[in-house]
Amino acid sequence: MNMTLIRVFGRTFFVDCGALFPDATHVGVNLILPSTNYIDEEQIHPEAWLITHGHEDHIGAMPHIFKRYPAPIYGTEFTIELIRAKFEDAGITDVTYRVWDFYKTTLFRNVKVTPFPVNHSIAQAAGLFIETPVGNVLHMGDFRIDYNPPEGTMTHHNVAKVLKNKPVHIMMSDSTNTFNEGTDNSESNTRHAIAQYFETEPGAVVVATFASNISRLDHVLQAARDKNRKVALLGRSMYRNSDIAARLHILNFPPDLIIDLEEAHRIPRNELCILCTGSQGEAFSGLHRLAFESLDAFDLKANDCVLFSSRMIPGNEKSIDALITKLIRMGCKVFTGKDDPQIHVSGHAYQEDLRTCILIAKPFSFLPVHGTYRHLKRHRELAIEAGVSPEMSFLAENGDVVLVEENTPVGVIDHVTSGRDYVCAGGIFSQNSPVYKERVQLAMTGVVVASFHVDPDSFELLQKPLVALKGIPLNDFELARKCGPIFEKVKGSLLQRKRTTRMSREEFKEQFKEDLRLAIRRHIENILNYKTAVIVML
Ligand SMILES: [Zn+2]
Ligand SMILES: [Zn+2]
């Protein structure tokens, strides 16, 4: 869920605007956004949106946040196309897109922004070199170094090329894999690794991967062509992204290689590949549907083989595990990156890659980003080992303000509001909002509604109390019967208090409702041993 503000003399650039997917603990949450509280309070308007690449943790929140802070959006062609597709779905039209060419500098008065290519697990990922009158920022984006790169160039060479020996006052770098030593295999290896399954497996081979990883799609398609398998695509983003990539000429394949899923049953099983979404076990995704629904066009059979050409994103373990269990139950063979490290490589730099880039950039100061506190701390240590002075190696968390100035000792100087907003049915709520907290309580404990029909002057009960229960394991009739004596008891003690304290009729009524609520809740707590939500209507 990445979003960074870079401010130069009061002008602000928004870098990325990512979302996070909820897990089972986020009750009723569809998507998690970075909180914009601080931007709202300070009434900050962006000069531009600078987007490093099209992964969800960098663009996923844009449809929800962009409209309130309109400004031209800068990104490489593939990144812009992914944002455009999202905006079309959301009905957002009035947008200025600016497509970036690598190494071409955009001038924002005295601020120069130059994107450069980095190796990563998505097409056209960029790092940014931002030159300002008070110092230069090197923002690495998400990256790794691939020594046999499908992109044709290597990250560290590109860093050297964009810097042209200019000083870097602060380097912001990706901390995802700071605990992995060495460097990972080349993305190019996956082609050969996947081709081996195509050659030896007697059944259909299903490859699940992220649809934005165009190099991976390319390798699967090439391997399929090499081993005479036809490829059927499955999953909405798989269609969409391969379409975009083909249109931009970054994915090339002979037209007869791809078949419709409906044609799949006409192809011998050992000449078939299904390339699909759903490597994270997401509901409604391609692989999920293959496992849990029966599709008219195609059904998995025993001895088909499923490759998870992806990593397991933390938080998705349970859904992936349920998916794999179902596939095994169907008799399929399943291989993940853990079973066969050759079928997936990481898009994020290992220690050796991180060190190489730091040594080339030789930054005056260093800010690890993109990782948990534990990852950031380890990355800071790596930077110090690579020669950055400890005083200039920072450790900043969400909401921290880092000051950068030429030749001045700087660092974290302030902390502003940060947090999470939840996209839920009916709107976007802060994680701390009363509405969201109430929803969680209803989900956890259920709700009791108790209704008392009373004479407005004497507060005499005119009818037996009524009770409605949702998610409470009690009998509503018995609880309603119990509410009569509770009502009389609460009224009695409140009337006694009224004799000593002055209370208007309205105050009396409100106090009555609150005392009733607490008394009913206490009564239920005595039976069930937990506190429920209780609503009293008087
Ligand atoms: Zn990322
Ligand atoms: Zn990424």
Side-chain angles (χ1 to χ4, degrees), residues 273-453:
C273 164
I274 313 282
L275 179 52
C276 66
T277 57
S279 62
Q280 301 304 309
E282 312 95 310
F284 310 112
S285 65
L287 189 55
H288 195 274
R289 289 172 58 209
L290 276 181
F292 291 98
E293 297 170 28
S294 107
L295 303 182
D296 290 341
F298 178 78
D299 266 327
L300 279 175
K301 290 187 179 141
N303 283 324
D304 286 340
C305 170
V306 180
L307 304 181
F308 283 77
S309 181
S310 57
R311 89 182 169 114
M312 197 184 271
I313 293 181
N316 297 340
E317 293 88 348
K318 279 191 177 161
S319 28
I320 297 176
D321 191 65
L323 180 60
I324 292 179
T325 303
K326 181 73 200 309
L327 292 166
I328 299 275
R329 192 185 290 278
M330 295 162 82
C332 297
K333 292 178 241 176
V334 176
F335 299 92
T336 68
K338 267 196 189 138
D339 306 309
D340 180 353
Q342 303 293 325
I343 58 173
H344 173 65
V345 299
S346 174
H348 297 274
Y350 284 17
Q351 289 180 359
E352 201 47 56
D353 304 352
L354 296 169
R355 192 172 296 122
T356 301
C357 288
I358 294 169
L359 290 174
I360 284 188
K362 293 185 220 63
F364 291 130
S365 71
F366 185 79
L367 181 65
V369 295
H370 206 285
T372 67
Y373 184 80
R374 194 164 65 91
H375 289 86
L376 304 180
K377 186 164 178 289
R378 181 73 192 100
H379 201 178
R380 177 177 179 270
E381 289 162 9
L382 289 175
I384 294 168
E385 285 163 27
V388 185
S389 83
E391 309 79 67
M392 298 301 269
S393 300
F394 310 136
L395 199 51
E397 291 193 86
N398 289 339
D400 282 347
V401 179
V402 178
L403 181 69
V404 184
E405 260 183 295
E406 245 177 338
N407 312 320
T408 321
V410 285
V412 177
I413 53 152
D414 196 5
H415 186 84
V416 301
T417 324
S418 74
R420 295 172 169 197
D421 286 342
Y422 292 154
V423 180
C424 303
I428 297 175
F429 311 121
S430 156
Q431 65 184 140
N432 302 315
S433 66
V435 172
Y436 185 68
K437 286 185 171 166
E438 278 171 16
R439 284 192 179 191
V440 173
Q441 200 199 3
L442 295 185
M444 297 302 172
T445 66
V447 62
V448 178
V449 180
S451 168
F452 299 88
H453 188 193

Side-chain angles (χ1 to χ4, degrees), residues 2 53 57-58 142 348 370:
N2 299 281
H53 66 290
D57 60 326
H58 297 261
D142 286 8
H348 297 274
H370 206 285

Side-chain angles (χ1 to χ4, degrees), residues 71-212:
I73 302 173
Y74 289 78
T76 55
E77 203 172 18
F78 187 67
T79 308
I80 292 289
E81 286 306 311
L82 292 183
I83 295 171
R84 193 197 301 274
K86 272 186 185 300
F87 279 9
E88 275 170 12
D89 284 351
I92 302 169
T93 46
D94 194 14
V95 188
T96 307
Y97 297 106
R98 299 259 192 257
V99 171
W100 258 334
D101 291 327
F102 288 130
Y103 301 113
K104 227 176 129 193
T105 300
T106 306
L107 263 178
F108 300 92
R109 281 180 281 167
N110 53 3
V111 176
K112 294 188 209 170
V113 180
T114 314
F116 60 95
V118 293
N119 305 130
H120 188 39
S121 48
I122 189 169
Q124 299 181 350
L128 307 176
F129 184 47
I130 303 172
E131 297 166 82
T132 85
V134 282
N136 302 333
V137 180
L138 177 66
H139 187 309
M140 293 295 295
D142 286 8
F143 77 100
R144 64 168 300 204
I145 297 176
D146 193 321
Y147 289 92
N148 183 16
E151 295 94 347
T153 61
M154 287 180 249
T155 303
H156 55 310
H157 293 170
N158 303 337
V159 169
K161 186 170 167 187
V162 77
L163 293 182
K164 294 190 200 116
N165 291 319
K166 287 177 196 160
V168 172
H169 296 93
I170 188 163
M171 174 178 184
M172 301 165 67
S173 190
D174 174 357
S175 309
T176 309
N177 282 338
T178 38
F179 288 99
N180 297 45
E181 287 174 14
T183 183
D184 200 359
N185 292 326
S186 168
E187 171 66 41
S188 305
N189 289 10
T190 57
R191 173 177 172 180
H192 177 67
I194 291 167
Q196 288 198 320
Y197 292 89
F198 288 163
E199 183 166 313
T200 54
E201 283 301 322
V205 178
V206 178
V207 183
T209 191
F210 282 110
S212 58

